[in-house]
Amino acid sequence: NVGALMLRDELMDQNGDMVDLYDFAGQGKYIVLVITAMWSGPDQMLADAIAFNNNSSFGTAPQKVADGDIYWINIMDVDISGNQASLTDLQDWYANYPNPLVPVLADNISADFAGLYFDTGWPTILVFDENMQFVTGPTSTDFWAALTFVDTL
């Protein structure tokens, strides 16, 4: 629901470090969470656009990430075989789509971001404000509502 607080948890990043998502709060920026599956073609295309700022099909999001105007956080739900993502999976993803501004985090059973937020397909893109309150995500009429919102910023 709009205004609901983001789940608070620590997730492992591509360096093996634990990241508290609330460390991104209070910085005056929107936080975009992208729940991905390693095997998903659309997820790979979006990650490529964000990593290399090279695809206008995703609106202004790639440029806004490159300019540091928004936080973009990739939460990897499953690996290529549908299993929980491992550190090696995160490192492989980051090697293919490197961007020092975009952490790649592993979802885990205790947090289960995918179970809580996944909606209709890969990738699921959600926007939270600097207070960690939900702003928008996929709707019944606009799967890409989060990117549409980012375009308005």
Side-chain angles (χ1 to χ4, degrees), residues 3-93:
L5 288 175
M6 180 194 298
L7 173 67
R8 183 168 192 171
D9 206 343
E10 289 187 344
L11 302 175
M12 180 178 57
D13 73 5
Q14 72 274 6
N15 300 310
D17 297 324
M18 298 306 289
V19 175
D20 181 344
L21 291 173
Y22 274 60
D23 286 347
F24 295 93
Q27 305 295 316
K29 299 179 185 182
Y30 284 93
I31 299 128
V32 180
L33 290 185
V34 184
I35 300 173
T36 61
M38 236 176 142
W39 51 263
S40 168
D43 294 16
Q44 295 165 6
M45 290 179 355
L46 178 58
D48 185 75
I50 296 298
F52 302 108
N53 189 12
N54 65 0
N55 188 331
S56 62
S57 315
F58 297 107
T60 61
Q63 189 62 53
K64 287 183 175 153
V65 172
D67 292 344
D69 295 336
I70 59 174
Y71 288 121
W72 191 274
I73 302 170
N74 186 343
I75 298 181
M76 180 70 59
D77 181 40
V78 293
D79 68 8
I80 200 79
S81 301
N83 299 312
Q84 185 174 349
S86 68
L87 176 57
T88 301
D89 297 321
L90 301 178
Q91 291 169 336
D92 289 348
W93 187 268

